[in-house]
Amino acid sequence: MPSNPLHCCRVCGLDHEYFIWGPEGNLPTFDICECCGVEFGYGDTHAQNCIDIRKHWMEVEGAKWWNYKLKPEKWNLENQLKQIPKEFQGPDDLKLCAELKDKK
């Protein structure tokens, strides 16, 4: 079953299974994404901000989990990135993902 875009982090695409920006998408919870570490309502308010944070998270931090204890055993970054709400996706997301795989 596809994820609800209003449940998914605008930076990394992690499905939080609740409305991280409220049911209408306009009231952030200010929770922290356990994957990329963005604070909902602070770092993810604009599409370009999300793209810039994502690029840094992938290129500089190697897509390291903010709370590594919660990282799923069979985590798939590429599949997760595809869950980013459309208006927050970057043109190079999957390319950055492939480059990250090549480094490992």
Side-chain angles (χ1 to χ4, degrees), residues 9-12 36-39 42-61 63 88 93 96:
C9 177
R10 295 173 174 184
V11 172
C12 71
C36 68
V38 74
E39 181 178 352
Y42 182 70
D44 65 343
T45 55
H46 302 288
Q48 191 58 51
N49 239 25
C50 293
I51 292 167
D52 293 344
I53 292 169
R54 182 179 317 119
K55 184 175 181 176
H56 176 85
W57 175 66
M58 291 173 69
E59 287 184 338
V60 177
E61 298 176 29
F88 295 95
D93 293 346
L96 291 170

Side-chain angles (χ1 to χ4, degrees), residues 17-74:
E17 299 178 357
Y18 67 93
F19 295 107
I20 60 175
W21 267 82
E24 304 299 320
N26 59 358
L27 295 170
T29 61
F30 295 99
D31 290 345
I32 304 289
C33 178
E34 62 254 17
C35 180
C36 68
V38 74
E39 181 178 352
F40 308 128
Y42 182 70
D44 65 343
T45 55
H46 302 288
Q48 191 58 51
N49 239 25
C50 293
I51 292 167
D52 293 344
I53 292 169
R54 182 179 317 119
K55 184 175 181 176
H56 176 85
W57 175 66
M58 291 173 69
E59 287 184 338
V60 177
E61 298 176 29
K64 182 179 176 188
W65 270 62
W66 186 77
N67 187 341
Y68 66 90
K69 292 178 183 177
L70 297 177
K71 181 181 177 182
E73 196 172 306
K74 294 184 180 185

